[in-house]
Amino acid sequence: MSTLQVLLTVSALLFCLGLTAALTRRSVIMILIGIELMLNAANLNFIVFWRAHGDSDPSGGFMFALFGIAVAAAEAAVGLALILLVYRHYRSTRSEDLNKLKG
Amino acid sequence: MNVVLFIIAALILVGALATVCVRNLVYCALSLAATFAALGMLYLALGAEFIGWVQILVYVGAVAVLIVFVILLTAPDRMRSVGPLFSRSRILGVGVSLGVFGTIAYAVHKSGSLKGSLSMPAETDMQSIGEELLSSYLVPLEATGVLLTVALIGAVLFAREEPVEGSEESQESKD
């Protein structure tokens, strides 16, 4: 395997660990953490491909990763605020307790 | 094959595994911060200095700390036990993740276009990044600015304490 393939496999593992956290854990906070891990795996892919095929477009993947980080930060802020709101309403952050459409 | 890259990759995977498996949410958030830091190190080792420092600044400095704050604000939940180890949904979730990983790993392994080694891209110093951001990427930059403003105002509106009934604030809003 080339270094490129090793790094892509690492990124795939990171994505799948995030997916596992998002699918199997009960706490809403852990689901958000899993989503953050998946976003980071995507960013890692951008950087690795930029490094491997960056000759035609010297800054494309780089800029994509930069904007990805900004969007992920906004997502984390809104998601955590929503978790706080849900906790204040239900007194719980476990996903199986949040079972009403009309609060 | 670069030894440094392997060590950093191992750090990332151990951190992510700890994040997923540890039961105490505070430890989860701390290993998440370690994973983010190791990712930043990997970006530095790959030659993306600016992204590496931004990763450490934004993720380790802001997102991980924010998650720790939220865990502490929702304190009573984090000590409750997490149910049986091998519930049906948990086995299903792990199975789906393993399937996704198998598919991606197979594709990466079989693809012929990924055999090449890592080439060094053109020089990306801060000056050229700034010039690119304010010329070719001006519209995405402004859109990101608007997005961040809206998201932060929205987060503050969500997370603000509701005015208590009969307090000064709610009486003012009735007047």
Side-chain angles (χ1 to χ4, degrees):
Chain A
M1 288 217 288
S2 61
T3 313
L4 178 57
Q5 281 174 319
V6 172
L7 287 176
L8 288 179
T9 312
V10 167
S11 159
L13 260 176
L14 193 62
F15 182 88
C16 291
L17 283 170
L19 190 64
T20 313
L23 287 180
T24 61
R25 297 295 294 255
R26 293 280 187 268
S27 163
V28 190
I29 298 173
M30 275 311 292
I31 294 176
L32 199 79
I33 286 178
I35 292 172
E36 289 294 329
L37 279 179
M38 289 192 269
L39 282 168
N40 269 283
N43 258 342
L44 179 57
N45 263 2
F46 281 130
I47 295 294
V48 170
F49 276 121
W50 165 74
R51 183 66 204 278
H53 301 287
D55 307 325
S56 51
D57 185 2
S59 62
F62 189 90
M63 290 297 174
F64 212 137
L66 196 60
F67 287 117
I69 288 178
V71 173
E75 175 259 357
V78 175
L80 288 170
L82 277 176
I83 289 176
L84 268 186
L85 199 67
V86 162
Y87 175 75
R88 227 175 267 144
H89 189 81
Y90 285 98
R91 289 283 134 200
S92 163
T93 57
R94 290 160 66 80
S95 55
E96 69 255 44
D97 292 342
L98 319 178
N99 50 11
K100 296 193 194 81
L101 278 180
K102 186 184 175 196
Chain B
M1 290 294 190
N2 198 335
V3 184
V4 178
L5 288 188
F6 273 104
I7 295 173
I8 297 174
L11 271 179
I12 291 173
L13 291 180
V14 169
L17 200 66
T19 310
V20 176
C21 296
V22 171
R23 298 204 151 191
N24 190 324
L25 277 181
V26 179
Y27 294 155
C28 278
L30 293 181
S31 31
L32 184 74
T35 312
F36 287 158
L39 267 168
M41 281 159 59
L42 185 58
Y43 295 157
L44 290 178
L46 282 174
E49 274 97 9
F50 184 60
I51 293 282
W53 292 119
V54 164
Q55 165 89 10
I56 290 173
L57 206 71
V58 171
Y59 276 107
V60 183
V63 173
V65 173
L66 203 61
I67 288 177
V68 171
F69 268 117
V70 170
I71 290 172
L72 294 180
L73 282 173
T74 58
D77 262 26
R78 73 173 193 276
M79 289 305 176
R80 235 201 287 173
S81 68
V82 276
L85 190 59
F86 293 108
S87 67
R88 202 171 141 218
S89 66
R90 188 163 287 185
I91 292 173
L92 206 64
V94 172
V96 168
S97 304
L98 281 179
V100 170
F101 174 67
T103 313
I104 301 177
Y106 179 77
V108 166
H109 195 69
K110 284 292 169 190
S111 170
S113 61
L114 300 178
K115 298 287 186 208
S117 61
L118 295 178
S119 63
M120 199 60 198
E123 197 66 31
T124 53
D125 52 351
M126 275 313 296
Q127 191 180 348
S128 67
I129 293 172
E131 279 168 5
E132 287 265 344
L133 270 179
L134 288 178
S135 56
S136 339
Y137 296 92
L138 184 61
V139 177
L141 182 75
E142 296 295 334
T144 312
V146 173
L147 172 78
L148 281 174
T149 312
V150 171
L152 290 184
I153 292 175
V156 169
L157 274 181
F158 278 151
R160 197 182 50 160
E161 294 279 353
E162 299 283 331
V164 187
E165 202 62 38
S167 73
E168 265 183 33
E169 202 180 332
S170 65
Q171 277 178 359
E172 272 174 14
S173 62
K174 273 173 201 163
D175 291 344

